[in-house]
Amino acid sequence: MSKHVFKRAGFLAATVGIAGLLSAGVASAHVTANVYGPQPSKGGYGAIFFRVPNEEKDAGTVKVEITVKPEYALSSVRAKPVPGWKAEVVKSKLPAPVTTASGTQITEAVSKVSWTAEPGTKIAAGSTEFQEFQISAGQFPTNVDAIEFPATQTYENGKVVEWNQPTPASGEEPEHPAPTVKLAEKTADGHGGGHGTDAKASEESHAASSSSDNTARWLGGAGLVVGALGLGVGAGATLRARRATAVSGKSDTEGK
């Protein structure tokens, strides 16, 4: 086999290895708001899962705080307990009364939801772990197509990261996007989702989503292994090509 074939093989193997490593990269580590199952509807209720990854290499996340805008007037928000984390739901008086889709006038609504890590608990440093914090909330507003939940992430070293930038109409994601949930239109009967109906469906779908996430993580790990093997094969092929070239050159010299 000629030295050109060896060089070509080495180049192709190295390219495959690098592509494998890049394709297996970890997804953008943003705080996101997720819904599993039917999308919450305007004027309805639903469960929202805030997924919090860790971006600091040397510090873990010890507190997550979600801000609820006063114009949403969410009077009912419940936080699902998470082992090792203390949840707190804070209500505040609204600047002006808000009338909900059902005709109820709201003067006080939830303004903050936070989860604080207890001693010995944190989202570990690095990008290999995440935690999900769930709320069940409503009634959602009827005059917007999506609701934003600006989030504050606090690390054990004191660093605070704000996830509060709205996504522009162009759809280009900002550096620190605010967790956002789209709202579906009201159902045919003119009402939003019933109390707990959307939330229950969302929770039931979460198990399936978690399973898919685990599969994706396994595939990502497999991609890293394949990429590393590709780089190894490429390096080996390159070395063999160099040796073959050296031997060929030596033989040519001796022949002369």
Side-chain angles (χ1 to χ4, degrees):
M1 185 178 292
S2 70
K3 60 183 180 181
H4 298 292
V5 175
F6 275 117
K7 288 181 178 180
R8 187 177 301 169
F11 174 77
L12 289 174
T15 301
V16 171
I18 293 172
L21 288 172
L22 292 176
S23 64
V26 179
S28 183
H30 296 164
V31 175
T32 57
N34 304 290
V35 174
Y36 304 107
Q39 204 69 16
S41 58
K42 297 178 180 181
Y45 295 77
I48 299 173
F49 298 78
F50 295 97
R51 176 170 293 195
V52 183
N54 201 97
E55 291 191 320
E56 286 292 293
K57 294 182 179 180
D58 303 316
T61 298
V62 293
K63 185 176 181 179
V64 178
E65 184 177 79
I66 304 299
T67 297
V68 183
K69 296 183 178 181
E71 57 264 34
Y72 298 155
L74 297 185
S75 60
S76 176
V77 177
R78 296 183 180 183
K80 185 174 182 178
V82 178
W85 296 79
K86 180 182 178 181
E88 183 180 14
V89 178
V90 178
K91 280 192 172 185
S92 302
K93 187 174 181 180
L94 296 174
V98 174
T99 302
T100 66
S102 61
T104 303
Q105 191 175 67
I106 305 296
T107 58
E108 186 181 65
V110 174
S111 56
K112 300 278 186 182
V113 182
S114 65
W115 292 267
T116 304
E118 298 175 350
T121 301
K122 63 182 177 181
I123 304 175
S127 59
T128 59
E129 291 189 8
F130 69 86
Q131 181 60 269
E132 279 190 325
F133 303 95
Q134 177 190 348
I135 65 170
S136 179
Q139 286 177 282
F140 295 122
T142 59
N143 58 347
V144 295
D145 295 323
I147 48 179
E148 293 180 348
F149 295 95
T152 301
Q153 183 175 12
T154 303
Y155 292 92
E156 59 185 332
N157 62 359
K159 181 177 180 179
V160 176
V161 179
E162 300 286 349
W163 302 95
N164 56 6
Q165 296 175 328
T167 300
S170 63
E172 184 179 354
E173 187 176 76
E175 184 178 0
H176 292 92
T180 303
V181 172
K182 292 183 179 180
L183 297 177
E185 294 299 326
K186 291 184 180 181
T187 53
D189 60 5
H191 298 287
H195 289 261
T197 302
D198 292 344
K200 182 178 180 181
S202 183
E203 290 175 9
E204 290 175 347
S205 299
H206 182 234
S209 176
S210 296
S211 177
S212 298
D213 183 77
N214 290 334
T215 301
R217 284 171 173 269
W218 184 88
L219 290 174
L224 288 173
V225 173
V226 171
L229 289 175
L231 287 175
V233 171
T238 301
L239 289 175
R240 287 194 296 272
R242 290 178 178 176
R243 289 172 183 170
T245 301
V247 172
S248 177
K250 183 178 180 181
S251 298
D252 292 341
T253 302
E254 291 177 351
K256 294 178 180 178

